[in-house]
Amino acid sequence: MFDITRYANATQLIIEAGRFLYSKGWSPATSSNYSARIDEQHIAVTVSGKHKGDLGAADVMVVNLSGEPVQSDCTPSAETQLHTVIYDLFPNIKAVLHTHSVAATVLSRSMVGESELRLVDYELQKAFPGCESHESELIIPVFENTQNIAELAEKTQGYFKEHPHTPGYLIRGHGLYTWGDNMADCLRHIEALEFLLQCELEMKRLR
């Protein structure tokens, strides 16, 4: 069982995040998926195929950390396992957001043969824990896109066991994943990363 009040609170945070991210153009149409932790064994996650700018309470469901629906006949996002891996690895994490912005999609596609994006000399890197100045190096891994979510979840799990302080990752030609100790932190990470990705994309154009 899970606490209904916590579920309702998590659902409201997800709904508000959806409206914000859609308004920014980072979650067009039915793309993207969002989640928030309810307790040690349950998360609230968006139902598959829902418009993220118009989410309602019925568009958010509960799954356990194996990604299995709890007291629901709805179908969770196909990428739910990419969320549960993060919650399982990091008990402090309370929110995970996945977006499909133009910058994340195009920049990752342009990085042919590259498995990570190295960010340095940006003041906004200080938006992330552990980055004390623009001289710090922020590394964002890039995973290949695949419909085999279980395989991708296993790869991300292995990477983040070895690099636990990484704040997010890209899926090539697909989008961005990031997380935080609460929804506000997670949204801050999205904003910062989207800015940095846009900067890198513009730098590529200038070159």
Side-chain angles (χ1 to χ4, degrees):
M1 289 293 293
F2 56 87
D3 185 282
I4 296 298
T5 300
R6 287 187 177 184
Y7 168 47
N9 291 339
T11 296
Q12 188 58 37
L13 290 173
I14 288 171
I15 290 171
E16 291 171 2
R19 290 172 182 162
F20 172 74
L21 295 170
Y22 174 73
S23 74
K24 291 289 189 179
W26 299 334
S27 290
T30 60
S31 70
S32 307
N33 36 79
Y34 319 135
S35 66
R37 188 188 290 274
I38 298 172
D39 56 35
E40 291 81 1
Q41 297 299 322
H42 302 94
I43 66 168
V45 65
T46 44
V47 173
S48 179
K50 299 298 181 178
H51 192 293
K52 301 311 182 295
D54 194 31
L55 292 173
D59 301 322
V60 180
M61 62 183 292
V62 179
V63 299
N64 59 28
L65 290 193
S66 296
E68 300 164 337
V70 177
Q71 298 182 14
S72 175
D73 294 326
C74 295
T75 302
S77 166
E79 296 171 18
T80 296
Q81 203 171 350
L82 299 179
H83 291 249
T84 57
V85 160
I86 298 298
Y87 290 111
D88 191 42
L89 279 176
F90 307 118
N92 60 301
I93 294 302
K94 299 297 190 296
V96 178
L97 297 171
H98 171 46
T99 49
H100 285 238
S101 72
V102 171
T105 303
V106 176
L107 180 62
S108 60
R109 287 192 67 179
S110 74
M111 297 170 60
V112 179
E114 299 179 63
S115 61
E116 58 187 24
L117 173 66
R118 291 179 175 267
L119 299 166
V120 68
D121 288 335
Y122 289 109
E123 194 68 18
L124 205 59
Q125 290 170 211
K126 293 190 288 185
F128 302 98
C131 286
E132 302 299 330
S133 80
H134 66 283
E135 295 177 341
S136 303
E137 185 177 55
L138 182 64
I139 299 176
I140 305 299
V142 182
F143 295 96
E144 297 301 326
N145 196 16
T146 177
Q147 298 303 304
N148 190 335
I149 300 302
E151 180 181 295
L152 181 55
E154 186 175 351
K155 287 181 180 178
T156 62
Q157 181 183 53
Y159 183 92
F160 293 114
K161 280 183 178 178
E162 294 186 7
H163 306 88
H165 301 298
T166 306
Y169 65 89
L170 290 165
I171 302 176
R172 197 180 312 279
H174 182 146
L176 169 70
Y177 268 90
T178 190
W179 43 89
D181 290 351
N182 52 57
M183 186 62 80
D185 282 352
C186 196
L187 286 167
R188 186 185 76 245
H189 293 167
I190 284 276
E191 281 197 272
L193 282 170
E194 288 292 354
F195 173 84
L196 294 169
L197 294 175
Q198 187 66 49
C199 286
E200 284 294 292
L201 190 58
E202 291 298 323
M203 289 298 294
K204 277 182 172 282
R205 287 174 179 152
L206 289 173
R207 295 188 192 107

